[in-house]
């Protein structure tokens, strides 16, 4: 076994939340010798601490050092979305494969920027990344973990067995407010709930229809049009009058805290996708898939594999229950292994296998770009109050 | 107790499915002596059979006889939507209270009719009914059972206790295809899934926001705009190629078999409403209510109060499981008393009490008309691919 | 309709928790004129207050006055179990029908009393009640609401449709500690969790097997043997060392706070029944029925017809959530109408119909006595650490 | 990383169902170079086929060759329980670590053998295995996957965080009939449902209380007494009269198809454990844990992470749904990754780590022996109709 073990040397840019998730997942890769070769972070002490904790071989002074390091095969960008584009292009030009967290990129501009302009710029930036990868002959791995979440993959297999098209999907990711203040402003986050939360169920929905199309007609089913609405539900007199806010409000936030988009696919079927930062009760990660011959409901979170009850919020101490749950009292649905159920180790395993075997990952460049086209198309739809034809915006 | 028992004499028009549901519910009314005084039906033998089964005192030769009968206090219209308008106006002019099944009315015209025209005509017909009732001093009872479904009323109480606005609702009624061929064509049904199924969760959502508004600011919260999409998901090559259709297809159907509408309320909050006739797996009647201070999920159907399993579809014989379930094998979620969970007896009890006590029912004229405005506004939105401002179409 | 309405005049003894539940249910009776004619209570002011609230025609000075009143058809005993026997016998001898809360009776003696003696005395008292009713030609209504709970009745219908025997049932009623201090001591309560909680699922299980036997072989299936264990789970060093007790502890309690009994029926099938007063998280009322040809799971409580979430225990204020839930924070499963789901109105409806029509109620004397035989047989089993053959203790 | 990778060379005896599960799990081990060095099976062609599929380096002609091979560090016994004892002792004496499937061993004798004799012999065989390991200085890994199932481990962490004792557990493994005819007869299987199914939730329950004891009082909480009943629920006139049996009946079966045991621990707390081969509806793997300060419900199977619906049993083709489900129609709850949720890869990972690091596995010799003592104590209890004191039968 061990003789022929392939090898992958990873350079990490970023040492925060998602870098940690990835590092945990790299540890679990099977059949491939994964080395964390370099890490860089804005705050050097954080990079050092991270390197110690996860056994990274060397701490880089800056991102560019990671990109240029000869002992790095793939650069994993765990940084704010706003710098994805620049770093991804640079990494690709340096001949490195690129792993980029979702969303691929965006438009980072004042909230008054016309949405048509935002759509144009977000796609231009996406295309620059894709072109750089293509030209350098490296692969883009799009870290959309929902593609790898076990319920989504089981849905894919069940639907393939059943045959016939998916007629409709209903997906949602929502919780009580984003982690990162950077994601609450257009200029730094590129959008709100629809981009940051909605991209997950949207990514899974696009993936499932593309997969279905390849199976049933030899080419992916693609999105054709989008209709959307967005709102700042917590920005109202009624909300402010309701007393202590249990939702996670961030001063200065200007992005939507809820959005809903309706994708029509080129085969006439649909997906209803919601992203929310104004939903109490812990994170909801759900995709219902209604097919012509079967139904599959994916409950990534919550599901009832474990149900826990505490008579008092202090009872469970520091033990993790559920992302973004406002109280640890009462009944809750803690995931026994949230990373696994959410697809992180499976995603990294696929990336490692794809990159060492020279094949496309399940979640790659085409999906990354489609998500950008649909989400920014949705922003345009919501702003202008009209359905947006996506045909002009999709890559062929 | 019995001395002062109020009395209500009911004249039924129609002897089909919903007439039977109502008759069962009249039997269960408490504290009021309800008499089924007259019944008329298109097919006289059906009326006779119905009268025998439910103890109706007299069979009328035609609807007009019921409307004009001196011993009838209220006329209960259990007839196709297309004749609601004419009969309701006639009943009101004859001085009778009116109970009308949902939806209140519609526009019954060829599918090519412009949706703006449909909206205008459906509202004109609605207004004619409301005016006739107002002028005759009788009440209109709008038989939207979801308003009375126990989970919805429990949600109302919980939300009132919690205080603060509802920020978002997500509601759906869907199943594998409508019962009645009459409801599959625009000229006879006035619309498809959005009208026939979507009106239920929409009615509940409008009711809850109106109730909240009265409580928090002294006047109902009203819908302000609607964005929608509709489709015939089963009308595609992919669907036809998928083999034996498990969904309930009706030849000649021209209405949508799925629709989704997004209501924005005048306080900036939203409701995401779906109606579907293309969903396998048994009926779904669900409303999720996300408030500023609490969440309430209403699972009218399915819920897990009873879970049943049959290893073979023949095992449960004729015992009822779930509306529109395609197979009686495997696991299912039969309601122990579907009428009760769906609000039928509670609805009829409220109507009987309201009419004998001279008060408005919980579900009355204002709600009935708002539902029409929103649904036909949604058809306009979907047809023109744009958000529709509802302000011009709402009654003051 | 109203001409022939039958009439039932009720005399209530007791004005506490279960009297209120019954009074609410009498209000809802359909098709029969129910009059609350008399009420007596240990505390006269309580009786007066009760009479005013529920429209009882006259307040009696003592229980005997109710039993002897000429305008009373049925005496409803909502009093502590320990006086069921004396009052039921007296009521029957006065020619009144008797409604008795569960359990029918018991043995009220020091905890040191041998369990064989307890079994003998509890059955002797039961037999005295049954004999008095038989001799006076009146009926005994055994207020076991689980027999009437909609999920149990749906299970009965599904199993009848499926055919074949029930092989196994698993039932439980448990929560965080009994309401009434009187039920925490042997001398006043006659037993603990097994009697007070376990009698519910046991009653339902005995009912379903008796019903099955009548259907399949023309006579009820009866219990044949019982094996049981009981414990005071909260009476341990470990529990006391665990800090603030969230369970409801009553000083001086000497009865079990958990018990489990295993009934073997005369057809070789089984029921596993648990009663608990030491279970956090709100009441559990569940019966799983595993048949030869079908499975039915009855979730009286909790079920997911409504799911509610509060980020803080104060949010829902006084609105009722779930019996015995220790916190109102977090997720919970409030019943939209707990009385209905638990079978109270259906039970009283059946009693009113049975008594006015001169038939046996679904839950009557035979079931009441079998429950006593099994539960006190279980106490004997647990005390002596052996299986108890019930044959000598069952009525023919 | 790769320099210091520890190495484990596995010799497999058996090439059937559980060998395949283990082989899949060995593939997934992280951080250790696992080699499948040898495999032997009763049927040589099966061993060859297995070796090819899983990359086993060499096929052995007989089990003894595996045990004696110099390039084998651990012998993994995936063989019928009846030969566990002989092979485990031989492997240990050959200086190999031993992995043994559950149950550790048993008594394989005619059904008429007195249960006290069975208990004695099963423990004698257990002790022989433990002694051989101890004397040779090798470790015994007891392959009780429930110990490693993510919901059980999450329960352990939550309960540790909450503090206080577990008061009660309710566990069940049941389905519609055992896979292997060998397990339906006493002489070949050593027992029925209680041994083959009940050992799983029992193992988890004993593990959790042992863990709690070590945490709270410095030594494991141990079982003290057991009360049990067993039955052949499908061996009745009623069952045979019910028509086509949907349960999986095996001609010549003489073991119980249902059993329930009640363990009392040395701290006065309890576990109610059920094993069943007569339960329709797919496998149930559940453990409810009621603590003094928290509740955790573990739903290994079914849970709602994925819910699937097929209108016809043929729809899902060969795609796996749920172990032992009698129909693929209707709703079901397929696990997205049943091996993972059931703990197989985690179990093998722990064994590999424990053996290479020289520590005890989480599931080891002490647990294996306790399970045997409790289950055969339960058989004695059921046969003699009395509680069995386990003290004389437990290892110190």
């Amino acid at each position: 076994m061990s003789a022929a073990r392939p090898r992958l040397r990873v350079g990490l840019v970023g040492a925060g939340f998602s870098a940690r998730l990835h590092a945990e997942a790299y540890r679990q890769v099977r059949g491939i010798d994964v080395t964390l070769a370099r890490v860089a972070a804005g705050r050097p002490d954080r990079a050092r601490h991270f390197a110690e904790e996860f056994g990274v071989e060397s701490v880089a002074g800056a991102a560019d050092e990671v990109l240029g390091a000869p002992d790095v095969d793939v650069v994993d960008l765990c940084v704010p979305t706003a710098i994805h584009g620049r770093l991804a292009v640079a990494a690709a030009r340096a001949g490195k494969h690129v792993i980029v967290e979702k969303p691929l990129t965006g438009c980072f501009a004042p909230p008054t920027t016309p949405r048509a302009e935002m759509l144009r710029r977000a796609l231009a930036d996406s295309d620059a990344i894709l072109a750089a990868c293509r030209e350098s002959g490296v692969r883009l791995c799009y870290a959309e973990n929902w593609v790898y979440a076990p319920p989504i993959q089981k849905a894919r297999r069940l639907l393939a067995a059943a045959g016939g098209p998916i007629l409709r999907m209903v997906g949602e990711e929502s919780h009580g407010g984003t982690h990162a203040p950077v994601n609450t402003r257009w200029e730094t986050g590129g959008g709100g709930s629809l981009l940051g939360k909605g991209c997950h169920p949207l990514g899974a929905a696009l993936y499932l229809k593309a997969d279905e199309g390849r199976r049933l007609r030899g080419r992916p089913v693609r999105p054709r049009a989008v209709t959307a609405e967005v709102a700042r539900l917590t920005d109202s007199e009624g909300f402010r009058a309701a007393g202590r806010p249990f939702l996670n409000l961030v001063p200065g936030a200007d992005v939507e805290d809820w959005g809903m988009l309706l994708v029509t696919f080129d085969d006439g079927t649909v997906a209803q996708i919601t992203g929310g930062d104004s939903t109490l009760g812990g994170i909801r990660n759900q995709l219902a898939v209604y097919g012509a011959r079967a139904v599959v409901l994916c409950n990534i979170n919550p599901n009832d594999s474990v149900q826990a009850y505490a008579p008092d919020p202090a009872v469970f101490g520091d033990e993790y229950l559920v992302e973004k749950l406002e109280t640890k009292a009462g009944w809750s649905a803690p995931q026994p292994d949230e990373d696994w159920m959410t697809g992180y180790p499976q995603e990294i395993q696929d990336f490692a296998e794809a990159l060492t075997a020279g094949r496309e990952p399940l979640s790659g460049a085409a999906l990354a770009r489609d998500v950008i086209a649909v989400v920014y198309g949705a922003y345009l739809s919501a702003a202008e109050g009209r359905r947006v034809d996506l045909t002009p915006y999709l890559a062929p």
Side-chain angles (χ1 to χ4, degrees), chain A:
Chain A
M1 268 184 184
S2 53
R5 278 177 80 91
R7 191 177 67 155
L8 186 71
R9 298 166 304 177
V10 180
L12 284 151
V13 185
F17 183 70
S18 65
R20 300 181 66 84
L21 281 174
H22 285 209
E24 291 285 357
Y26 284 121
R27 274 185 181 167
Q28 300 178 42
V29 170
R30 307 178 304 265
I32 295 166
D33 279 327
V34 174
T35 312
L36 301 187
R38 292 277 194 291
V39 64
R43 288 160 35 195
D45 60 322
R46 210 176 180 186
R48 269 195 308 276
H49 184 79
F50 183 95
E52 268 168 48
E53 183 176 354
F54 292 102
V56 185
E57 295 176 351
S58 157
V59 177
D64 289 340
E65 256 180 68
V66 176
L67 312 187
D71 60 352
V72 161
D73 303 312
V74 59
V75 173
D76 186 351
L77 298 175
C78 299
V79 293
T81 314
I83 55 173
H84 281 182
R86 185 177 63 77
L87 290 174
V89 168
R93 289 191 180 149
K96 313 299 187 193
H97 300 298
V98 181
I99 297 173
V100 62
E101 262 301 320
K102 52 90 220 166
L104 175 61
T105 182
C107 170
F108 309 89
T112 51
T113 311
R115 296 306 182 261
E117 167 75 4
M118 283 189 175
L119 171 55
R120 199 190 56 72
R121 284 166 59 180
L123 285 176
D125 211 42
S126 301
D127 287 335
I129 300 172
L130 270 62
C133 290
R134 201 169 44 240
E135 286 157 16
S136 297
V138 299
R139 294 188 190 276
L140 182 68
C141 297
Y142 175 53
E144 176 45 71
N145 54 287
W146 276 46
V147 166
Y148 301 96
I152 301 293
Q153 284 295 329
K154 183 70 181 178
R156 187 188 57 75
R157 292 193 300 273
L158 286 165
L159 291 158
I166 298 169
L167 301 179
R168 176 167 73 103
M169 286 176 276
V170 184
E172 174 160 346
E173 174 162 324
S174 57
H175 60 47
T178 189
H179 305 266
V182 73
N183 289 334
T184 65
R185 304 194 59 245
W186 282 98
E187 293 196 71
T188 51
S193 308
L194 211 48
L195 184 67
K197 306 284 167 301
C199 68
H200 285 299
L202 176 61
L206 297 180
Y207 165 75
L208 289 173
K209 286 299 290 188
D211 180 81
E212 170 198 315
R214 278 185 216 103
R215 207 170 57 234
L216 295 184
R217 67 181 199 191
R219 64 179 197 285
V221 176
R222 300 288 296 284
R224 187 176 62 196
V226 67
T227 303
E229 293 284 3
V230 299
R232 289 185 48 72
L233 298 174
T234 56
D235 184 12
S236 77
E237 275 185 55
F239 184 81
R240 282 182 289 271
R244 169 191 161 194
F246 294 107
L247 290 161
N248 186 23
L249 303 183
V250 176
D254 60 17
V255 296
E256 81 277 7
D257 58 20
W258 164 86
M260 140 117 225
L261 63 84
L262 192 292
V263 182
T264 304
F265 291 95
D266 64 20
D267 65 350
T269 65
V270 295
Q272 311 170 225
I273 304 294
T274 300
D277 285 278
S278 47
T279 302
L280 292 169
I283 198 167
R284 306 189 85 74
N285 282 332
Q286 304 171 319
L287 187 73
V289 186
Y290 299 103
R293 299 172 53 83
V295 179
V296 186
L297 309 179
C298 304
N299 298 309
I300 299 175
N301 221 325
N303 66 49
D304 66 3
S305 58
V306 175
Q307 297 171 286
Y309 175 80
D312 185 275
V315 156
F316 285 135
D318 292 334
E319 178 68 15
Y320 182 76
L321 292 186
V322 174
E323 190 180 339
K324 293 282 175 183
L325 195 66
E326 293 80 16
T327 176
K328 294 181 90 165
W331 284 97
S332 61
Q335 285 309 302
D337 182 339
E338 198 168 77
D339 284 7
W340 184 88
M341 188 59 88
T342 317
Y344 288 111
Q346 299 89 334
E347 168 193 286
I348 293 295
Q349 181 76 31
D350 180 57
F351 291 169
E353 292 180 7
L355 295 178
T356 54
R359 64 158 172 83
E360 271 296 286
L362 294 183
S363 178
L367 180 63
R369 193 193 183 282
D370 277 1
V371 167
I372 294 298
V374 174
V375 170
Y376 280 89
Y379 283 135
L380 177 59
S381 167
E384 304 196 346
R386 63 173 181 90
R387 182 187 306 135
V388 169
D389 180 3
L390 292 169
T391 324
Y393 306 111
L394 294 177

